[in-house]
Amino acid sequence: MIRFENLEKHIEAFKKYVIQQSKANLLKGGKHGAHSATGKLISSIDAESKVSQNSFELDFLMEDYATFVDLGVQGKNSTTKAPNSPYRFGSGSGKKGGLSQGIDKWVRLKGIQFKSRETGMKLSYKNTAFLITRGIYNKGIKPTLFFTKPFEKGFKRLDDEMIEAFGLDVDEFLKFTLKNIK
């Protein structure tokens, strides 16, 4: 049976690079706390790989909302924040009330309360969450590309390395096979 040790090493290195850089991008961009009051997003980033005789599989795993943070979301009334995003608020495809619930939870956890312009008194968490949610819903979420950039950069480097690694493994397999045929 052929063993793809060199290929596995390169896949592992690629996997580790993408995970490490994605987490660093979230921390650098302040998105670790901004998009998850609990830190669930950054701690959820992981990957699984499997190398078989005729193929290899690599899956990156993270919270469902990671794609919205990465690619952004177009607003209901504006596409300027995320013009290339496949996601858009108000499309009817998302979970009803999901944004409102998430923002309300975040506002309460962070203790954020806006002040009234007229009275100077703090607004309730519910009113603060409503104002933030309305702004995000209408204007959208700017893409961070926290995952896309390291994935693409790592993949460009991986291309030649993978071919080379696969070639080395095939050579080793052929040497082993020829040695054992005699």
Side-chain angles (χ1 to χ4, degrees):
M1 182 166 127
I2 189 169
R3 291 212 18 110
F4 295 102
E5 290 166 3
N6 287 322
L7 183 61
E8 287 177 19
K9 285 178 191 171
H10 285 290
I11 291 172
E12 271 308 302
F14 172 67
K15 187 168 81 171
K16 286 179 182 174
Y17 171 80
V18 172
I19 291 169
Q20 185 270 329
Q21 290 298 307
S22 295
K23 289 181 177 185
N25 287 345
L26 282 174
L27 290 170
K28 203 173 5 177
K31 299 301 178 193
H32 171 64
H35 285 281
S36 176
T38 61
K40 276 176 77 175
L41 176 57
I42 200 163
S43 63
S44 74
I45 301 172
D46 200 3
E48 294 176 351
S49 59
K50 180 180 172 186
V51 177
S52 303
Q53 282 298 112
N54 299 318
S55 65
F56 67 89
E57 186 177 324
L58 177 59
D59 296 317
F60 285 94
L61 313 166
M62 57 193 90
E63 289 290 323
D64 290 339
Y65 66 90
T67 55
F68 304 129
V69 175
D70 187 57
L71 301 175
V73 181
Q74 295 178 23
K76 172 77 171 161
N77 301 322
S78 173
T79 60
T80 56
K81 280 195 176 182
N84 300 320
S85 176
Y87 308 111
R88 181 182 189 96
F89 286 116
S91 66
S93 61
K95 179 180 151 190
K96 192 104 172 131
L99 177 63
S100 300
Q101 290 172 355
I103 297 296
D104 187 59
K105 187 190 242 183
W106 177 73
V107 163
R108 291 173 192 275
L109 228 119
K110 293 292 185 178
I112 299 170
Q113 288 180 285
F114 292 156
K115 288 185 178 180
S116 168
R117 286 186 182 154
E118 292 85 32
T119 65
M121 294 181 66
K122 287 184 177 182
L123 297 176
S124 68
Y125 288 125
K126 185 176 182 176
N127 286 340
T128 299
F130 171 78
L131 293 171
I132 293 171
T133 302
R134 184 177 65 185
I136 291 171
Y137 183 82
N138 287 323
K139 295 178 183 173
I141 299 171
K142 187 178 176 182
T144 63
L145 304 177
F146 79 92
F147 174 78
T148 299
K149 284 183 178 181
F151 181 87
E152 289 175 349
K153 187 176 179 182
F155 193 78
K156 284 179 186 172
R157 291 189 325 200
L158 185 66
D159 198 349
D160 292 338
E161 292 173 0
M162 289 273 280
I163 291 168
E164 187 179 319
F166 187 74
L168 288 173
D169 286 322
V170 171
D171 285 346
E172 288 172 18
F173 174 72
L174 289 173
K175 286 176 193 171
F176 173 78
T177 304
L178 293 173
K179 192 179 199 180
N180 290 322
I181 290 177
K182 294 179 182 175

